């Protein structure tokens, strides 16, 4: 059974710092991996989607990498801002549907 | 453009009561999903509907029923609520196939407390 883990559960950094969020999964036969952002009291917003054949995806200050063989993905946030404060979740898809398996998230606080 | 709309936003039930969570999307998506989110855990899939007229169980379907009323609407029903069903419930929708430019769209959630 696929399990997705995100460590740490919470992270606090000063504004301007570059940071890395980690996601690991137990079954490397994934179809894709997605990173989401969740603001308090809100639903999830899709940030980046990496297909199993890809190594990384970039959007603005965000860069997500995927290493299937080691069962790991990282989300790199450059020059963090207070507006980046949110919970970040990774999710693994085992097929082309949206039946995703989620990690429990990393709660990020960027201090001014 | 409302996206995915869930009602109600908050609900308190007593054990044994029933209720239906409503979800509607205006993006002409084929697929719709119900997830639940518990503290310290990721989202878990309850039921999904790949297209109008079809529904399938997800990871945690026990205690729930769903109805895909039409292409826009997908409801989740608790027939006899239990305290273990206290959670935040998210509805989501998507095109039929996951692709880079067609992300999963979530509603803002329904916060349910069962006492």
């Amino acid at each position: 059974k696929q399990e997705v883990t995100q460590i740490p559960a919470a992270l606090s950094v000063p504004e301007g710092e570059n940071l890395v969020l980690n996601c690991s999964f137990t079954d490397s036969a994934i179809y894709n991996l997605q990173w989401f952002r969740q603001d308090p009291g809100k639903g999830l917003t899709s940030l980046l989607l990496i297909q199993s054949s890809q190594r990384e995806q970039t959007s603005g200050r965000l860069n997500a990498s995927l290493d299937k063989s080691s069962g790991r993905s990282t989300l790199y946030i450059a020059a963090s801002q207070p507006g980046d404060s949110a919970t970040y979740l990774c999710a693994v898809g085992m097929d082309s549907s949206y039946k995703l398996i989620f990690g429990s998230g990393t709660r990020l606080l960027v201090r001014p | 453009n409302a996206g995915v709309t869930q009602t109600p936003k908050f609900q308190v039930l007593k054990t044994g009561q029933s209720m239906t969570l409503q979800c509607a999307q205006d993006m002409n998506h084929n697929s719709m999903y119900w997830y639940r989110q518990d503290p310290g855990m990721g989202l878990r899939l309850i039921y999904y509907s790949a297209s109008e007229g079809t529904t399938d169980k997800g990871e945690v379907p026990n205690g729930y029923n769903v109805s895909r009323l039409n292409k826009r609407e997908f409801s989740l029903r608790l027939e006899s609520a239990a305290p273990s069903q206290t959670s935040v419930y998210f509805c989501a929708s998507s095109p039929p196939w996951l692709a880079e430019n067609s992300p999963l769209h979530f509603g803002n959630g329904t916060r349910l407390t069962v006492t």
Side-chain angles (χ1 to χ4, degrees), chain A residues 17 23 29 36 47-48 52 70 72 74 89 93 95 106 112:
Chain A
E17 191 164 298
C23 174
F36 293 87
L47 296 173
L48 290 165
S52 62
S70 66
R72 293 184 180 180
T74 61
L89 298 99
D95 57 34
T106 294

Side-chain angles (χ1 to χ4, degrees), chain A residues 30-72:
Chain A
I30 67 171
Y31 189 84
N32 57 63
L33 185 143
Q34 296 187 66
W35 283 93
F36 293 87
R37 169 184 172 138
Q38 184 177 26
D39 292 291
K42 300 292 186 183
L44 282 67
T45 300
S46 179
L47 296 173
L48 290 165
L49 165 66
I50 310 176
Q51 304 287 4
S52 62
S53 59
Q54 297 174 321
R55 298 281 294 183
E56 65 178 349
Q57 282 287 337
T58 299
S59 175
R61 293 183 295 108
L62 306 179
N63 176 277
S65 68
L66 174 63
D67 184 343
K68 278 180 53 179
S69 61
S70 66
R72 293 184 180 180

Side-chain angles (χ1 to χ4, degrees), chain A residues 38 42-44, chain B residues 6-9 11 13 19 21-23 33-38 43-47 60 62-64 76-78 81-92 106-114:
Chain A
Q38 184 177 26
K42 300 292 186 183
L44 282 67
Chain B
Q6 292 184 236
T7 56
K9 289 185 171 59
Q11 184 70 50
L13 291 179
M19 78 161 295
L21 282 63
Q22 306 287 351
C23 176
Y33 307 79
W34 278 105
Y35 284 90
R36 61 178 286 174
Q37 184 176 33
D38 300 299
L43 280 73
R44 292 181 292 168
L45 182 64
I46 305 171
Y47 270 94
V60 288
N62 291 344
Y64 305 95
L76 179 71
R77 183 162 178 83
L78 287 70
S84 61
Q85 294 178 305
T86 294
S87 188
V88 181
Y89 291 86
F90 288 101
C91 177
F106 281 85
N108 285 334
T110 294
R111 281 153 183 77
L112 175 66
T113 301
V114 183

